[in-house]
């Protein structure tokens, strides 16, 4: 890695970014990516099946990744702020050979946690829930989705269950599509689009929300 993509790494140093995820086969993986001023590159992935992801376990694999690059060239390790990762970073810094390496919590994860906390406020949580209802209803019904696309130039933006910030992107996108979505629910095609849908109450709710000025005022305030 050093000889190819990271030419000059001994002058600039690098950071190692680690995150856990699960692949399409359900295998839990611990990923390691190396970042420098020139860019980022995948370093390795560890199959953590059957392992408790304790601070000690993560620390050991962080040390392996650091040693693979060269500890003298690593200036920081970056993970999310979960307690096990925080412990791994603290334990790493107590080792004399790694004491120069700083552990940093991922800024994107910190922002996501902040937005999640904001989302627990009543008015915020209710507005997000309403926008989720709209996004899910439009996306999950073929005729409604087709009608939506005929009235809007922007795709419907769905939310991610594990990335709370996507709720705000969803609301911003809906705000951009406000006029088109309102046109959708007052058009003659709307009744045809929802004719085969069993949950008529949900269709009525979506129509009500899209026509409701108070709902759009709440969305506007949050975006």
């Amino acid at each position: 890695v050093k000889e190819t993509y990271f030419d000059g790494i001994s002058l600039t140093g690098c950071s190692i970014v680690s995150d856990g995820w699960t692949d399409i086969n359900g295998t839990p993986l611990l990923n390691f990516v190396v970042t420098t001023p020139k860019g980022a590159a995948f370093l390795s992935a560890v199959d953590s099946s059957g392992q408790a992801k304790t601070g000690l376990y993560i620390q050991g694999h962080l040390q392996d990744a650091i040693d693979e690059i060269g500890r003298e060239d690593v200036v920081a390790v970056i993970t999310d702020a979960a307690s096990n990762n925080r412990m791994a970073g603290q334990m790493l810094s107590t080792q004399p050979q790694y004491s120069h390496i700083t552990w940093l919590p991922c800024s994107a994860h910190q922002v996501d946690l902040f937005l999640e906390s904001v989302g627990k406020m009543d008015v915020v949580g209710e507005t997000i829930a309403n926008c989720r209802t709209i996004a899910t209803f439009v996306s999950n019904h073929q005729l409604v989705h087709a009608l939506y696309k005929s009235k809007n130039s922007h795709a419907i933006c769905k939310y991610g269950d594990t990335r709370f910030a996507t709720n705000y992107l969803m609301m911003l996108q809906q705000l951009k599509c406000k006029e088109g979505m309102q046109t959708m629910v007052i058009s003659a095609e709307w009744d045809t689009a929802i004719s085969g849908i069993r949950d008529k109450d949900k269709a009525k709710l979506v129509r009500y929300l899209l026509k409701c000025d108070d709902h759009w005022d709440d969305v506007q305030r949050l975006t």
Side-chain angles (χ1 to χ4, degrees):
V1 174
K2 290 172 64 175
E3 290 76 10
T4 54
Y5 193 81
F6 297 111
D7 182 42
I9 195 174
S10 59
L11 296 177
T12 63
C14 71
S15 297
I16 292 179
V17 182
S18 179
D19 191 24
W21 67 292
T22 303
D23 68 11
I24 58 174
N25 297 316
T27 304
L29 299 171
L30 197 58
N31 289 333
F32 297 93
V33 173
V34 184
T35 65
T36 76
K38 293 184 178 180
F42 174 77
L43 179 63
S44 63
V46 177
D47 182 347
S48 56
S49 298
Q51 297 289 335
K53 292 183 180 179
T54 62
L56 183 61
Y57 176 79
I58 295 171
Q59 177 207 3
H61 287 294
L62 282 173
Q63 290 182 185
D64 290 342
I66 292 168
D67 290 341
E68 183 174 346
I69 293 297
R71 66 188 67 161
E72 69 280 359
D73 295 330
V74 179
V75 296
V77 294
I78 303 168
T79 70
D80 67 33
S83 59
N84 55 346
N85 286 319
R86 185 182 298 274
M87 181 177 294
Q90 292 172 346
M91 293 171 67
L92 188 69
S93 65
T94 64
Q95 305 296 315
Q97 65 270 42
Y98 304 106
S99 60
H100 65 287
I101 299 173
T102 302
W103 171 79
L104 297 171
C106 172
S107 57
H109 185 241
Q110 296 292 89
V111 170
D112 200 64
L113 291 175
F114 168 75
L115 292 175
E116 184 176 4
S117 296
V118 172
K120 294 177 181 178
M121 299 170 62
D122 290 344
V123 64
V124 178
E126 182 180 354
T127 304
I128 289 173
N130 287 336
C131 288
R132 282 186 168 206
T133 295
I134 294 168
T136 300
F137 184 84
V138 172
S139 298
N140 288 355
H141 297 93
Q142 184 177 355
L143 293 180
V144 176
H145 195 201
L147 179 58
Y148 168 89
K149 291 195 293 184
S150 73
K151 306 295 184 183
N152 294 279
S153 58
H154 299 284
I156 189 74
C157 181
K158 295 195 70 176
Y159 54 89
D161 288 331
T162 60
R163 293 292 180 266
F164 206 84
T166 58
N167 289 304
Y168 294 86
L169 298 176
M170 171 193 64
M171 290 190 290
L172 183 61
Q173 187 81 322
Q174 289 186 16
L175 195 60
K176 291 179 181 178
C177 300
K178 174 184 175 181
E179 183 177 346
M181 289 197 291
Q182 288 182 325
T183 300
M184 173 182 72
V185 296
I186 63 174
S187 68
E189 299 101 315
W190 175 255
D191 288 337
T192 302
I194 67 171
S195 60
I197 297 174
R198 293 183 179 179
D199 193 349
K200 291 296 192 295
D201 288 340
K202 185 63 65 66
K204 290 178 181 178
L205 174 60
V206 169
R207 187 174 190 271
Y208 167 78
L209 289 171
L210 291 175
K211 294 175 62 181
C212 179
D213 290 338
D214 288 342
H215 167 72
W216 288 113
D217 287 344
D218 290 338
V219 174
Q220 179 74 60
R221 280 193 289 269
L222 293 177
T223 56

